[in-house]
Amino acid sequence: MLFPWISILALVSEIFDSALASPANPSCPTVQIRKEWRQLSDDQKTNWLSAVKCLSHKPRSRTFVPSHSPPDIVAYNTSGSLYDDFVFLHMEQNHWIHFTGFFLPWHRWFVYHFTKSLKEECGYEGVAPYWDWTLDSVDVYGSSFFKESSPISGLGGWGHPENDYTVSDGALSSGFALSYPVYHHLRRNWTIQPYIALAAVEPSIFPNPYVLANSTFTPEKVWNLTNSYVGDYIGFQTDLEQPEHMHAAVHLMMGGDLGGTCPASAPPTCVGGSTFSVNDPLFMLHHAMVDKIWANWQAKDHRNAVAFAGGSTQDPTYVGYPTGMAPWLNLSSPIPTDGLFPSTTVGDILSIQQLCYCYE
């Protein structure tokens, strides 16, 4: 698959190579070291969760102006919180930031600014944590990760079917309410084979419906991904984002909000899917891990470090152009944020060193 801008990347290769070869950007006053959730102290976990809940009580943004109204989402709730605004931005940009070239850079910028909002709005002083789900791939349901029941430092566990899978323990079980698609509380529903039901509707997109979700993000699968596709951004993103692989599997196995299933109280018109998955703060930990995998791949080879390609519109089949169709994106393409936080270009965030953070 050839794209007209590939030759242009060679012209900027040396510039990016020199930036990425440095251990840190000299313009950074400090470098934030992002840590795996379990490496945080209880106090650090408490501070992050408190800031997340704080954001859910802050008034909505006055600068956020949604630019899309896709038919699969509800209308913008002007009485929602600032946290809800982050949810809605992801909802209304859904068709432009998944299965397009924007997938990785958009989510990198999204997690970065969510953390920035925690700091500016709620006094958070820590780093953006990530969830290394490879550590749990043998037994996700029984992992200690989901047994942190502390009402101040715990992420909480799985919900109960008799209560619409609402999470009843951990810090997010109280004082944290969500607006989309209807007012409700956080839900999680362990689903080891999430593709069976999806394949009944879209068999061409889910050809292997009986695959176990946790089999897609083993340490071996992640190692193979980060050590393959040298200089091939399209191949790397396609592997990472394909519907039956690690990114989607982590979403879908969680069910509930991260899995994009509609609350029981939602009207029959509610459309499930990836739109309101930001409802679960695990979204930020999950996508920080996705970002870490991308950053690790970028660091493997100078050709990976400068690689970027993709289109700005989804291919309805997800097959011919798995990272999007024309109009083509390039390093100068602006990241769409609709005023919730400042925009930037893909080239400006192609390296995490440019954003003054790294991973432990």
Side-chain angles (χ1 to χ4, degrees), residues 49-58 121-123 175:
L49 287 163
S50 294
V52 167
K53 293 169 70 172
C54 162
L55 209 64
S56 74
H57 293 278
K58 291 288 182 178
E121 298 290 335
C122 295

Side-chain angles (χ1 to χ4, degrees), residues 204-205 314-322 325:
S204 63
I205 298 177
Q314 288 181 345
D315 177 354
T317 69
Y318 302 108
V319 177
Y321 296 87
M325 304 187 299

Side-chain angles (χ1 to χ4, degrees), residues 5 9 12 16 20 96-97 100-109 233 237 291 294 298 304-312 328-337 342-352 354-355:
W5 61 84
L9 294 179
V12 297
F16 278 95
L20 289 161
W96 291 267
I97 59 173
T100 73
F102 273 136
F103 173 66
L104 290 170
W106 191 92
H107 287 84
R108 172 172 284 179
W109 193 232
Y233 182 90
Q237 181 187 324
D291 183 64
W294 180 27
Q298 290 179 305
N304 299 351
V306 299
F308 176 74
S312 60
W328 306 118
L329 301 173
N330 57 52
L331 296 177
S332 298
S333 298
I335 303 292
T337 65
S343 183
T344 191
T345 66
V346 171
D348 285 339
I349 59 171
L350 197 61
S351 159
I352 61 173
Q354 293 165 280
L355 296 175

Side-chain angles (χ1 to χ4, degrees), residues 131 133 246-247 250-251 282-290:
W131 171 24
W133 12 261
M246 57 188 71
H247 164 253
V250 173
H251 275 282
L282 276 179
F283 178 99
M284 300 300 169
L285 279 69
H286 171 39
H287 272 277
M289 178 62 179
V290 170

